[in-house]
Amino acid sequence: SYHTRLWCLMELFTYDMMGGAAENITVLTLNDGTGTAEMEVDVREAECSSPRDRELLLSIIEAGVGVTAFNDWFNARIGYLHLPLLQRRTSVTTLGGHALVK
């Protein structure tokens, strides 16, 4: 459920932007028993226990890279880790000069 929690998304984003390797992130997927799990993220739907934190974090994202770029980053870089190895496609997306999928 980390992909529905705004603080978790921000921590993953910060780790990646500071040069952390996606290979060092272990993703455990919870699914409905069909072998699939919904991983597409829209940061505007993410939650925080504190409404003040949520407002602050969303304003930081909007002032920084923007909501669309943040969602694209997650879905390309972190959502990519949820695919079985044989289904992964290598592609490169950039955000502020950083390669998102290497």
Side-chain angles (χ1 to χ4, degrees), residues 30-78:
L30 302 176
N31 63 47
D32 60 6
T34 64
T36 62
E38 181 60 43
M39 287 311 307
E40 191 153 319
V41 163
D42 183 341
V43 72
R44 293 168 294 202
E45 295 176 14
E47 300 173 358
C48 279
S49 57
S50 164
R52 184 171 179 257
D53 282 0
R54 185 175 187 281
E55 184 179 319
L56 176 65
L57 291 173
L58 287 174
S59 69
I60 290 169
I61 292 167
E62 188 59 48
V65 299
V67 168
T68 300
F70 188 94
N71 289 341
D72 290 347
W73 161 81
F74 182 90
N75 294 318
R77 183 77 165 151
I78 304 301

